[in-house]
Amino acid sequence: MTRQRRTENEATRPPLIVRPLDASTWDAFARLVEASGGVWGGCWCLGFHMKLGRDGLSWAQRRAAKEQRVLAGTAHAALVFSGEDCVGWCQFGTPEELPEVKSRRRYEQGLVERPQWRITCFFTGKGQRRRGVAHAALAGALAEIARSGGGTVEGYPEDTDDRTLSGSFLHTGPMAAFEKHGFIRTRRVAPHRWVMTRTVTAGDCP
């Protein structure tokens, strides 16, 4: 697709808006997950809530488990919408909601104090890249965290270091988005993965 055609298509697309994942937005979220094959092989964005692979849960059971958490208020995400369609998201929550982290041994070795919040994963739907979906989702997550009292927030992005990686390797978020939103590199927990942190003040609009 030429640059001119991309520009024309972008001009006709609805603007991106962010809404929280809750009962009112569950159906839109579920449609995107289903259209994307369950996201990362049927994860249903549960991988930071619980250990997958040993859970023995079917696709339908994982869907139900995620929906149950959403309706109970124990699963949070900032959903990015283009018109009526959810086109991506950023998942966030407390360590109690999201106890699973990657590179756990290295993470725990350097842990001094647990954060109040974690930002664990991002997803952008097919055909929606280069629209700023991840940036909008992260801004939305930080705004929701501010409304919920703020505190120390951690993210765990992969540093590409000029490497070319598939989207599945970048599901913990793009480093550039975290840096743009004021996160700093705190410590390295894998050859290309960092813990990044920032503090969000209650009531702020990051």
Side-chain angles (χ1 to χ4, degrees):
M1 182 181 293
T2 66
R3 177 178 295 182
Q4 179 179 355
R5 182 167 295 179
R6 284 199 300 269
T7 301
E8 290 172 351
N9 288 347
E10 191 63 38
T12 62
R13 284 175 163 178
L16 299 178
I17 63 170
V18 182
R19 299 169 61 189
L21 174 60
D22 57 24
S24 70
T25 56
W26 165 259
D27 286 344
F29 168 79
R31 283 195 298 272
L32 178 57
V33 178
E34 289 167 348
S36 306
V39 181
W40 318 135
C43 173
W44 271 94
C45 212
L46 277 174
F48 292 94
H49 289 292
M50 57 192 291
K51 287 185 181 294
L52 298 182
R54 302 176 185 175
D55 57 359
L57 297 179
S58 67
W59 165 292
Q61 288 171 324
R62 288 185 180 183
R63 184 189 194 282
K66 183 68 177 187
E67 183 176 15
Q68 183 179 25
R69 282 174 166 80
V70 171
L71 298 181
T74 57
H76 295 87
L79 306 185
V80 181
F81 281 79
S82 179
E84 297 299 315
D85 297 324
C86 177
V87 296
W89 69 76
C90 167
Q91 179 172 257
F92 67 94
T94 65
E96 290 73 25
E97 290 179 13
L98 302 167
E100 300 301 322
V101 294
K102 294 186 176 295
S103 308
R104 177 176 290 279
R105 181 174 296 180
R106 288 278 299 274
Y107 175 80
E108 292 184 342
Q109 283 177 348
L111 183 63
V112 175
E113 184 177 0
R114 286 207 310 175
Q116 281 76 52
W117 300 90
R118 286 176 171 160
I119 291 175
T120 55
C121 58
F122 292 72
F123 184 75
T124 300
K126 185 177 180 179
Q128 302 295 330
R129 298 191 182 280
R130 301 186 184 279
R131 293 190 66 191
V133 172
H135 286 281
L138 181 53
L142 294 174
E144 288 296 318
I145 288 170
R147 279 192 283 272
S148 298
T152 303
V153 186
E154 282 186 352
Y156 315 100
E158 186 95 359
D159 188 346
T160 59
D161 291 331
D162 297 322
R163 297 173 298 147
T164 299
L165 298 175
S166 70
S168 62
F169 283 95
L170 297 174
H171 67 278
T172 52
M175 181 76 73
F178 281 94
E179 291 175 335
K180 179 179 179 179
H181 288 280
F183 284 78
I184 61 171
R185 302 186 190 198
T186 305
R187 54 197 173 94
R188 193 193 299 267
V189 291
H192 301 286
R193 184 175 300 117
W194 289 78
V195 176
M196 298 190 74
T197 59
R198 67 160 285 181
T199 299
V200 173
T201 302
D204 272 0
C205 293

